[in-house]
Amino acid sequence: MASDPKHLVAAGYDDVADAYLERFGVSAVRQKWLGRLIDSLPADGGRVLDLGCGAGIPVARDLAALGHAVIGVDASAQQILRARKQVPLATFIQADMCDVALEAGSFDAVGAFYSITHVPSVQQGPLILKIARLLKPGGVFVGSFGTGVSGEWTGEWLGTTMFFGHNGEAETLKYLSDGGLLVRKSSIEPQDNEEASFLWIEAAKET
């Protein structure tokens, strides 16, 4: 169904795959938080899950270049096509991040950069619990969430129809705690490439 938020997101990113990378491919804010994820990884190489990987740039590309084993997941066929071409050292799966089947306790880190905000708000809590299950004990999650009063929005964005959703900051933090993810750092930061702010989180799974 075209009205299903997840189908809207996948179809929307198919439509704007190239335009999105051109418009949002560079962000000092994202690079800062990607740096925190990289710093958490084993020096001899870790296993990383990139949820909502898009075209693989810059997150999967930078991680793979450092010798880490990367699995990227995205619902957009066009984004996955580009990611496979641009980051051949990583593995990419076209799937809904909420439903993809991966081995529990098998990742040193999970990143979700600007992707969970495309998940319906009622599904974000279960997704956080899933992320916690996928992490090894002591593994690190770094991701961005929406800010302000919880809500959802569907409308024209970057020339296509797109869906966004989020919970309030306190609710997001509670989901993390319920999943056994201990927040090391949280910060609401304005973007450097658009008029928007996100709640950024770095959290570690309890050992």
Side-chain angles (χ1 to χ4, degrees):
M1 288 172 44
S3 59
D4 183 320
K6 292 183 178 181
H7 286 104
L8 279 177
V9 171
Y13 274 105
D14 281 346
D15 290 343
V16 301
D18 294 323
Y20 177 82
L21 187 58
E22 181 179 353
R23 175 67 179 82
F24 297 111
V26 177
S27 167
V29 176
R30 177 176 52 214
Q31 286 303 129
K32 180 177 77 173
W33 287 89
L34 175 56
R36 296 185 72 94
L37 185 151
I38 290 170
D39 289 345
S40 77
L41 291 168
D44 58 349
R47 191 163 187 257
V48 187
L49 177 61
D50 181 9
L51 289 176
C53 62
I57 296 174
V59 176
R61 178 197 64 193
D62 291 0
L63 288 164
L66 291 169
H68 301 296
V70 182
I71 295 179
V73 175
D74 202 286
S76 165
Q78 289 300 316
Q79 294 280 33
I80 289 294
L81 180 66
R82 285 157 176 77
R84 287 172 176 160
K85 289 180 179 179
Q86 293 171 147
V87 194
L89 293 176
T91 299
F92 295 98
I93 302 169
Q94 183 191 346
D96 180 341
M97 71 174 77
C98 294
D99 299 331
V100 65
L102 296 163
E103 184 181 354
S106 63
F107 291 94
D108 296 288
V110 176
F113 296 81
Y114 312 113
S115 56
I116 295 178
T117 44
H118 291 299
V119 174
S121 54
V122 296
Q123 297 180 31
Q124 291 185 18
L127 175 57
I128 291 170
L129 296 178
K130 177 176 185 172
I131 289 169
R133 289 194 298 271
L134 292 172
L135 283 168
K136 298 176 181 179
V140 170
F141 166 67
V142 176
S144 57
F145 296 87
T147 62
V149 178
S150 61
E152 297 183 341
W153 178 87
T154 301
E156 193 278 332
W157 179 80
L158 209 64
T160 191
T161 302
M162 188 54 68
F163 169 86
F164 293 89
H166 71 278
N167 295 295
E169 292 96 329
E171 191 170 5
T172 296
L173 292 169
K174 184 178 186 302
Y175 286 137
L176 293 162
S177 176
D178 290 346
L181 295 173
L182 306 177
V183 175
R184 292 176 171 175
K185 174 74 173 178
S186 67
S187 177
I188 296 175
E189 300 194 23
Q191 276 298 113
D192 55 333
N193 57 7
E194 65 174 322
E195 291 186 8
S197 294
F198 292 88
L199 170 65
W200 287 91
I201 296 290
E202 177 189 351
K205 184 174 180 178
E206 295 176 334
T207 57

